[in-house]
């Protein structure tokens, strides 16, 4: 079943988020994601898989990701969605 495969894949992504993200914080229309060392690139890819609306760009270093949104409300919305994923 294609839905079972989809959810198995998504559960792996969610596990990676839960284990690797240290903190999330918005600053205006930016979302800053702190991760474990060398995990930012992987987490950035995972976030891309979620197809978050209004993402204008995403830049990552070794342990930090900067996600740029079109407005402040969208960055707050994404923060809440990611926090819900990580904390459930």
């Amino acid at each position: 079943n294609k839905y079972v495969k989809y959810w198995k894949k998504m559960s792996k992504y969610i596990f990676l988020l839960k284990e690797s993200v240290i903190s999330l914080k918005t600053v205006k229309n930016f979302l800053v994601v702190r991760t474990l060392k060398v995990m930012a690139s992987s987490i950035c890819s995972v976030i891309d898989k979620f197809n978050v609306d209004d993402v204008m760009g995403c830049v990552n270093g070794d342990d930090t990701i900067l996600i740029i949104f079109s407005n402040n409300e969208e960055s707050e919305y994404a923060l809440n969605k990611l926090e819900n994923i990580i904390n459930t």
Side-chain angles (χ1 to χ4, degrees):
N1 188 338
K2 68 179 182 178
Y3 295 111
V4 172
K5 288 180 183 178
Y6 172 79
W7 284 111
K8 278 187 176 183
K9 185 164 68 170
M10 292 308 287
S11 69
K12 291 176 186 177
Y13 295 144
I14 291 168
F15 176 78
L16 189 60
L17 280 172
K18 288 182 176 196
E19 294 299 316
S20 301
V21 172
I22 296 170
S23 68
L24 301 162
K25 183 176 181 178
T26 57
V27 181
K28 296 189 180 184
N29 63 318
F30 303 115
L31 175 58
V32 179
V33 182
R34 299 294 314 257
T35 70
L36 297 174
K37 292 280 187 200
V38 306
M39 291 303 295
S41 180
S42 297
I43 297 301
C44 197
S45 294
V46 168
I47 291 170
D48 283 342
K49 298 263 188 247
F50 286 123
N51 295 321
V52 179
D53 292 334
D54 294 317
V55 171
M56 298 188 72
C58 191
V59 180
N60 67 275
D62 190 41
D63 63 354
T64 306
I65 303 165
L66 177 65
I67 307 170
I68 305 162
F69 290 89
S70 56
N71 59 56
N72 300 0
E73 292 79 24
E74 290 300 325
S75 66
E76 287 291 332
Y77 179 77
L79 170 71
N80 292 331
K81 291 293 262 185
L82 287 171
E83 284 179 335
N84 286 339
I85 290 169
I86 291 168
N87 295 325
T88 57

